[in-house]
Amino acid sequence: MKNLLVPTDFSPEAHHAYEVALQLARHTGGSVTLLHVLEDLDEAGSGISTLGGSLGGPGIDEIYPIKLLEATKRRLRALVAESAPLAGAVPVREVLKTGPIGAGILKAIERHHIDLVVMGARGHGAMEHFFVSSNTERMIRLAPCPVLAVKHQHVPFAVKTVVFPSDFSEEAGQAVEQLRETLAAFPEAKLHLLHVLGDRDPFAARQRMEAFAQLAQLPPCEMSEVNASRTATGIEQYAEQVKADLVVIPTHARSGLSSFFHTSIAEAVATHAFPPVLTYHFSRVQPAAEPIPASEYAYPMFV
C-alpha cells in the first residue's frame, strides 16, 4: 500500500478516495499518483466551430482542447495543493492522460508500478459520470493490483475493525497472503471472519472458519455466521452492524473457483457497502486479461 493511484473525475466520491489515499500513504510512508483521463479529447472540440481556418488562425475547435488540457492541469494541481493538511510531506504527483478511461488507468498502473488503486464509487442508479459503478467494477475485474473502493468521506481514516467475508472453502487459502499484508498495515485492527450461510450448516461453517484461522496463523479474531438472501446483502449488513472500517474481499472471475469468489459479489459490495472495500485477486492466479488495442496507448501523457 505504498505506491497509490487515485483516478479522479473531480467528483465528491473521487475526492473522498483521494483523502483516504493521502491518509494511507502517510500511514505507510508511501506516495500518491493522481490521475485524470480525458476521454475522446480529439472529438471534444470538433463540433464547436469550423470557421477558424478561413480566418487564417486557429479555430475554436483547435483552441478548445488546449484550453481543456490547461484547465484540467490547474484542477489537478489544486488537488495536489490540498494534500498537506492530511498527508504532510507525502509525495503527490499529478498525471493527465487522454484516451479511453479504462485503458488509461491500466496503463498508469503499469507505468507507475502501482501497488493499490483507490477509486471513488457510486451504487447503481446514481447519475452517470466517470465513477458510476461500472468503472469501479471493471477495475476490480481487470486491475493487476488491489483496488480500494471509497464511497463516503472518512476523515480521519482509522482502521480499527476489518471484516473478511468468505465461504472458507479450499480456494480461500489462496487469499491468506494478501490478508496478512493488510492486517500488518493496521496492526491495531480487530479482524472479523464472516460466513454468510444461506442454506449451509452453521456448525460446519464455524469449523471451516476455525480451520482457516489456524492454517493462516491469524491473530485472535471474531467469527460470525449470518443468514441472508444474498451474500452481498449479508456482508453489507454485517459491516454496518459492527461499524467496520474496512471490508476485505478476495476475488477472481474464474468459473472453476467457488461461486463466492466470483467478481459479481465483490463488485456489489464495493459499490454498496458503507465502509471502504478492498478487493484483490488470489495470489496464485492472475486476473483475466482484456485485450487493449495498441491505438489506445497512442495518446500523449502530460505529467
Side-chain angles (χ1 to χ4, degrees):
M1 294 188 184
K2 287 194 172 184
N3 198 6
L4 280 57
L5 175 70
V6 182
T8 182
D9 67 343
F10 308 108
S11 66
E13 291 83 2
H15 198 273
H16 299 332
Y18 179 50
E19 290 177 333
V20 167
L22 290 172
Q23 294 173 87
L24 269 176
R26 183 180 62 183
H27 178 69
T28 62
S31 63
V32 173
T33 298
L34 191 60
L35 170 71
H36 181 77
V37 182
L38 283 170
E39 195 168 26
D40 300 325
L41 180 65
D42 291 341
E43 288 78 27
S46 60
I48 297 176
S49 173
T50 58
L51 300 177
S54 62
L55 298 176
I60 295 177
D61 56 329
E62 296 172 338
I63 295 173
Y64 178 77
I66 297 172
K67 295 296 184 183
L68 180 59
L69 286 168
E70 291 174 348
T72 305
K73 288 180 186 178
R74 287 195 296 269
R75 297 184 75 179
L76 285 171
R77 288 166 185 162
L79 285 174
V80 173
E82 291 182 16
S83 66
L86 279 177
V90 166
V92 180
R93 164 180 51 193
E94 75 268 16
V95 174
L96 176 58
K97 286 180 61 69
T98 63
I101 292 172
I105 297 173
L106 292 172
K107 186 63 175 178
I109 293 171
E110 177 185 1
R111 175 167 180 167
H112 300 289
H113 308 289
I114 297 301
D115 302 316
L116 174 68
V117 178
V118 186
M119 294 185 70
R122 296 175 186 166
H124 288 284
M127 182 182 299
E128 289 290 331
H129 201 39
F130 183 92
F131 284 121
V132 292
S133 58
S134 59
N135 287 289
T136 304
E137 290 166 356
R138 187 181 183 205
M139 286 303 109
I140 289 171
R141 292 192 300 271
L142 298 177
C145 62
V147 174
L148 182 65
V150 180
K151 294 163 288 301
H152 307 283
Q153 187 175 44
H154 299 275
V155 178
F157 180 57
V159 178
K160 301 297 185 184
T161 302
V162 175
V163 173
F164 181 82
S166 177
D167 64 357
F168 301 98
S169 58
E170 182 178 350
E171 293 93 342
Q174 300 177 28
V176 168
E177 182 179 351
Q178 183 66 46
L179 176 60
R180 285 178 182 157
E181 291 179 5
T182 303
L183 294 175
F186 307 106
E188 297 180 1
K190 179 73 172 182
L191 175 64
H192 291 245
L193 301 182
L194 173 65
H195 198 307
V196 181
L197 294 172
D199 57 358
R200 300 177 184 88
D201 176 14
F203 179 73
R206 174 57 63 109
Q207 286 185 317
R208 289 167 79 170
M209 278 192 288
E210 291 174 349
F212 175 85
Q214 183 175 5
L215 177 66
Q217 298 180 330
L218 296 176
C221 55
E222 294 287 334
M223 299 184 187
S224 299
E225 308 91 17
V226 299
N227 284 292
S229 57
R230 294 175 61 250
T231 301
T233 301
I235 297 170
E236 295 160 25
Q237 291 176 345
Y238 183 82
E240 181 178 359
Q241 174 187 329
V242 299
K243 295 180 172 55
D245 301 303
L246 183 67
V247 177
V248 179
I249 305 181
T251 185
H252 200 279
R254 279 174 54 125
S255 59
L257 297 179
S258 165
S259 61
F260 176 87
F261 300 111
H262 290 180
T263 56
S264 58
I265 292 177
E267 292 161 11
V269 176
T271 55
H272 288 83
F274 182 87
V277 177
L278 178 68
T279 63
Y280 61 89
H281 298 286
F282 291 119
S283 58
R284 283 184 277 175
V285 288
Q286 296 298 320
E290 178 178 278
I292 301 173
S295 60
E296 294 194 1
Y297 290 143
Y299 297 87
M301 175 179 282
F302 302 85
V303 180

